[in-house]
């Protein structure tokens, strides 16, 4: 036995031990695996939170689910590695630092210059970059922090360069002019995956374009973005559209601008949409851009990176795009060129980070050629090498990957991985290199400039599963732990991140990055709304931890969790979690106080009582259920089954059934010892099943218990319970379930009759089951308020009008009526109550029959009155039923 066992304090106070326990785990190195370990690997890489971010409920759910799986696999004998780390979060971090500069110093990044601004960002990272990591630790995350990664560390930055250069040399990265999604607020382009399409109210402006040389002849086009007409270079109609066949090849005069533009035929035009004539603005619409390529049209960019009209916009130059829209519409109307305005709902792209309406703009950017990378990634999931849990989310993945466009990877930012492309000012040569270029390899010139843009944050994140394990070096971690086992993430970043990791892993490792993608939903408030600052319904997980403890937060987040589905978080959930922790704590204190210290190992089945064999049978079935559900990622179901067993089966029944033996009121010392051994065995098993979900309280209780040499010093490195068929006792289990059913039925009938628990009565039982012999009587006497239990036998006097009869599947019970209630007194009380209820019902019915009330009162008031009437009738029926039982007790 161990010497470290200690008494548990009377009150459960997580603040008194959670930090101490976590420090012990860290000091002992329990989170740090050795790749030389011969056990099978289980590896998870954390979805890296923003380096300067703060723990929110989404993080808390994500990390809790990962930690549950990691702790479970560690206890199952796997060599587990959970790699932590943070993402540099290019746009988010830069905007935060720029805002701070503006507010505190009245400066912009351009005032500082690139080098000084980046120094400020690194200072910001140094100040706040460890905050999120310490918060993960507060939650109990068992990550290996000796392997902590950062997307812009020297090692990972070198890996990013290597990937870029390799893709460029393979012809999979190119620089070209394409329509991109410009966010004026973030002042950079973003990829298609970062566009949040929202249905908003807009309008179709129908505008006349004069036909050159034909006064009074116009072509009418409809547009939702009139400001882009400044960049029109054609009007298109569908081939063969008879309405406009005479117009094809003619020239139009662009209103307000005066530029001459052609009328062309293009197969992309839907003749049934709008007017059938489509204005073509190749520089500001993706479909128009493709049309422009087919017809050799000019790209005229009229909106700049701040969403203002540029010098190509004539007199509108300098106006914000929406101000320009108003001015252009007014001018069109003044010139008689605005036909009509139709309100409409349409899908408009917004920046997923800041919510700003995006501006499609043609610009020269760096792109990844996606089709050659997407095809093997599609097959990887189709073959089942990587599977989504739930499987339905593979449809999201296939839909995105099968329709994917080239990925725009350049960003007009300073914070991030600077694109390793160098331009020669002498000859124009472009050199892409892992090393800094100072001399042009073509002409030998020294006028070299590196590309100003940085890479999309998701580019480095896409490499996360293998760069965090040491790639490109042939690292021991990489050999042992790649591919990783499972990725735990939300459904909202399947396209952003999951898809990219799969195709990058296949390209650079020749193998999938993970076997499973476990998808969880969002954390919503109690009403099902998304948590947001605007609604003021956000919940700070750290405040929950401070008030209730990390275990309660983890329990609440895991409760009811179902793969892929959103969950609701409420105060009721966290209170229930705290109540459960209290229940477990108090039960453990009871067990601890009833141990002498030498109880270890189970007694032989013959030395156990039926209730001992019953609880062992139920525990083994629980172990099988929890194991099966955790293996299938059904975390909510697994936790629910442990909760139900602990609260109901173990605490409310087995402890109560065993108390008489533990206190010596019944049985011998051997009986007491058997009960204590079984209690300890089952409690320790519960702690192990519960540990992945609630690591702190289970560790504190585990360390308080007597422990043999076969049990390790910490529960987190102990073995998860294994199902043992030898501990199944179905016959005994059935017997105890029958006894419990009778106790529950007696309690229910006494409650119906308003009999206080302190009022005891005799009980006579009739059954063909042997379990209802004398051995069961003490259970009824202690748990069913029975003064004396006896066999009903065949006595004629038992079962007549003087008894209350209760029937279960396995027994019939008789309780003397006069020992339960004063019959005449109770009849009088119930009679008075039924008369009172009749009067209340009559008044409510009259009120509802009055048209003056039902037509004039608010609907809610009328509904409340109907509900009140329904409740009165239910209570009246129950009172009549109780009266009938007193008159005819064999009910």
């Amino acid at each position: 036995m161990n010497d470290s066992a200690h008494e548990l304090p009377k009150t459960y106070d997580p603040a008194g031990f959670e930090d101490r326990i976590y420090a012990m785990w860290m000091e002992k190195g329990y989170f740090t695996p050795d790749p030389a370990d011969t056990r099978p690997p289980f590896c998870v890489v954390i979805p890296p939170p923003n380096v300067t971010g703060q723990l929110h409920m989404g993080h808390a759910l994500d990390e809790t689910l990962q930690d549950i799986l990691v702790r479970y696999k560690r206890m199952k004998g796997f060599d587990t590695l959970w790699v932590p780390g943070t993402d540099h979060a290019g746009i988010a971090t830069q905007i935060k630092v720029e805002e701070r500069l503006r507010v505190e110093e009245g400066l912009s990044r351009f005032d500082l210059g690139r080098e000084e601004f980046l120094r400020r960002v690194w200072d910001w990272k140094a100040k706040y970059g460890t905050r999120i990591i310490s918060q993960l630790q507060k939650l109990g995350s068992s990550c290996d922090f000796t392997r902590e990664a950062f997307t812009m560390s020297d090692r990972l930055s070198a890996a990013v360069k290597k990937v870029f250069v390799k893709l460029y040399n393979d012809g999979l990265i190119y620089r070209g002019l394409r329509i991109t999604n410009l966010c004026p607020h973030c002042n950079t382009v973003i990829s298609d995956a970062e566009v949040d399409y929202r249905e908003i109210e807009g309008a179709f402006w129908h505008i006349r374009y004069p036909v050159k040389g034909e006064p009074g002849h116009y072509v009418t086009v409809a547009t939702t973005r009139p400001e882009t007409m400044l960049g029109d270079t054609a009007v298109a109609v569908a081939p063969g559209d008879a309405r406009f066949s005479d117009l094809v090849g003619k020239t139009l005069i662009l209103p307000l601008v005066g530029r001459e533009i052609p009328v062309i035929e293009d197969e992309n035009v839907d003749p049934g949409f709008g007017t059938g004539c489509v204005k073509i603005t190749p520089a500001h619409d993706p479909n128009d851009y493709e049309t422009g390529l087919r017809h050799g049209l000019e790209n005229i960019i009229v909106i700049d990176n701040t969403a203002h009209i540029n010098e190509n916009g004539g007199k509108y130059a300098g106006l914000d795009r929406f101000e320009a829209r108003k001015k252009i519409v007014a001018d069109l109307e003044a010139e008689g060129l605005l036909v009509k305005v139709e309100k409409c709902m349409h899908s408009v792209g917004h920046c997923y980070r800041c919510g700003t309406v995006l501006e499609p703009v043609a610009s020269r950017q760096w792109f990844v050629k996606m089709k050659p990378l997407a095809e093997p990634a599609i097959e990887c999931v189709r073959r089942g090498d990587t599977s989504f849990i739930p499987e339905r989310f593979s449809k999201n993945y296939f839909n995105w990957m099968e329709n994917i466009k080239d990925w725009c990877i350049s960003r007009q930012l300073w914070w991030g991985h600077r694109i390793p492309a160098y331009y020669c000012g002498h000859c124009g040569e472009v050199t892409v290199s892992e090393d800094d270029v100072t001399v042009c390899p073509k002409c030998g010139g020294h006028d070299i400039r590196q590309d100003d843009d940085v890479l999309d944050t998701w580019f480095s994140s896409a490499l996360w599963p293998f760069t965090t394990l040491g790639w490109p070096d042939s690292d021991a971690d990489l050999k042992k732990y790649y591919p990783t086992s499972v990725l735990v993430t939300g459904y909202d970043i399947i396209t952003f991140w999951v898809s990219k990791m799969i195709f990058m892993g296949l390209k650079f490792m020749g193998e999938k990055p993970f076997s499973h993608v476990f998808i969880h939903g969002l954390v919503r408030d109690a009403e099902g709304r998304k948590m947001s600052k605007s609604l003021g319904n956000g919940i700070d997980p750290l405040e929950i931890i401070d008030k209730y403890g990390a275990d309660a937060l983890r329990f609440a987040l895991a409760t009811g969790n179902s793969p892929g589905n959103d969950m609701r978080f409420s105060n009721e959930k966290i209170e229930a979690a705290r109540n459960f922790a209290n229940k477990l704590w108090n039960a453990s204190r009871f067990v601890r106080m009833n141990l002498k210290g030498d109880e270890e190992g189970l007694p032989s089945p013959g030395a156990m009582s039926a209730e001992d064999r019953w609880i062992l049978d139920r525990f083994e079935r629980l172990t099988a259920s929890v194991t099966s559900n955790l293996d299938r990622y059904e975390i909510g179901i697994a936790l629910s089954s442990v909760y139900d067993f602990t609260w109901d089966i173990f605490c409310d029944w087995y402890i109560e059934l065993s108390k008489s033996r533990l206190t010596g009121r019944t049985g011998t010392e051997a009986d007491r010892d058997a009960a204590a051994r079984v209690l300890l065995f089952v409690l320790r098993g519960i702690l192990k099943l519960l540990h992945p979900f609630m690591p702190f309280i289970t560790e504190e209780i585990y360390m308080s218990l007597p422990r043999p040499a076969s049990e390790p010093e910490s529960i987190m490195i102990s073995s998860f319970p294994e199902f043992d068929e030898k501990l199944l006792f179905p016959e005994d289990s059935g017997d105890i379930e029958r006894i419990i059913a009778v106790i529950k039925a007696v309690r229910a009938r006494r409650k119906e009759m308003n009999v206080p628990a302190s009022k005891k009565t005799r009980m006579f039982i009739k059954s063909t089951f042997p379990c209802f012999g004398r051995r069961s009587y003490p259970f009824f006497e202690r748990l069913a308020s029975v003064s004396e239990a006896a066999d009903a036998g065949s006595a004629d006097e038992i079962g007549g009008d003087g008894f209350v009869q209760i029937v279960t599947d396995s027994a019939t019970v008789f309780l003397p009526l006069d020992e339960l209630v004063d019959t005449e007194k109770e009849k009088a009380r119930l009679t008075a109550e039924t008369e009172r209820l009749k009067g209340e019902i009559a008044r409510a019915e009259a009120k509802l029959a009055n048209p003056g009330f039902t037509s004039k009162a608010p609907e809610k008031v009328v509904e409340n009155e109907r509900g009140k009437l329904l409740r009165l009738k239910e209570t009246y029926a129950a009172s009549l039923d109780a009266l009938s039982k007193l008159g005819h007790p064999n009910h």
Side-chain angles (χ1 to χ4, degrees), residues 269-424:
V269 177
D270 178 359
F273 183 76
T275 66
C277 298
V278 179
K279 61 185 283 299
I280 304 299
T281 320
H284 292 283
D285 181 274
N287 292 324
D288 293 0
Y289 180 80
E290 297 299 326
T291 301
L293 289 178
R294 287 192 291 272
H295 296 273
L297 300 176
E298 183 183 2
N299 287 296
I300 301 176
I301 298 172
V302 295
I303 299 174
D304 66 17
N305 282 3
T306 64
H308 287 73
I309 305 301
N310 66 13
E311 67 278 3
N312 293 328
K315 67 178 183 178
Y316 305 102
L319 292 176
D320 170 79
R321 56 181 165 167
F322 298 127
E323 285 300 314
R325 178 181 295 178
K326 293 176 185 176
K327 185 78 171 66
I328 287 168
V329 169
D331 290 348
L332 287 168
E333 191 168 21
E335 293 189 19
L337 297 174
L338 184 65
V339 179
K340 63 178 178 177
V341 181
E342 290 179 322
K343 294 292 183 185
C344 70
M345 295 298 294
H346 62 145
S347 181
V348 176
H350 292 67
C351 176
Y352 93 104
R353 287 186 177 88
C354 68
T356 302
V357 173
L358 298 170
E359 194 61 48
V361 175
S363 60
R364 194 165 293 281
Q365 303 290 338
W366 288 91
F367 294 86
V368 174
K369 194 178 292 183
M370 282 308 307
K371 191 172 182 182
L373 294 169
E375 288 173 349
I378 291 169
E379 285 307 307
C380 174
V381 175
R382 207 179 295 285
R383 285 194 309 269
D385 293 348
T386 294
S387 61
F388 282 81
I389 299 158
E391 193 276 332
R392 69 178 185 271
F393 284 100
S394 63
K395 294 176 184 175
N396 302 42
Y397 174 81
F398 289 133
N399 184 57
W400 177 257
M401 295 297 278
E402 288 168 355
N403 298 283
I404 200 163
K405 296 177 182 176
D406 287 356
W407 172 21
C408 177
I409 56 171
S410 45
R411 298 290 180 271
Q412 289 68 61
L413 304 170
W414 288 352
W415 173 245
H417 297 99
R418 195 167 176 180
I419 290 175
Y422 300 84
Y423 306 95
C424 177

Side-chain angles (χ1 to χ4, degrees), residues 65-101:
L65 296 178
Q66 289 174 80
D67 199 43
I68 288 169
L69 296 174
V70 168
R71 287 180 182 271
Y72 167 64
K73 289 294 186 177
R74 186 183 288 119
M75 294 176 76
K76 289 290 282 184
F78 287 79
D79 179 33
T80 57
L81 171 61
W82 184 12
V83 181
T86 50
D87 191 283
H88 65 280
I91 294 178
T93 303
Q94 177 161 320
I95 287 176
K96 197 170 285 187
V97 177
E98 284 193 87
E99 180 66 11
R100 186 186 185 198
L101 273 175

Side-chain angles (χ1 to χ4, degrees), residues 161-169 173-175 366 419-423 429-435 437 441 451:
K161 283 184 182 179
K162 182 174 282 292
V163 166
F164 186 97
V165 172
K166 170 66 173 167
L167 290 174
Y168 179 81
N169 290 337
I173 281 183
Y174 65 92
R175 190 165 184 256
W366 288 91
I419 290 175
Y422 300 84
Y423 306 95
E429 177 73 2
V430 178
T431 305
V432 172
S433 170
E434 292 179 51
D435 302 315
V437 176
D451 198 300

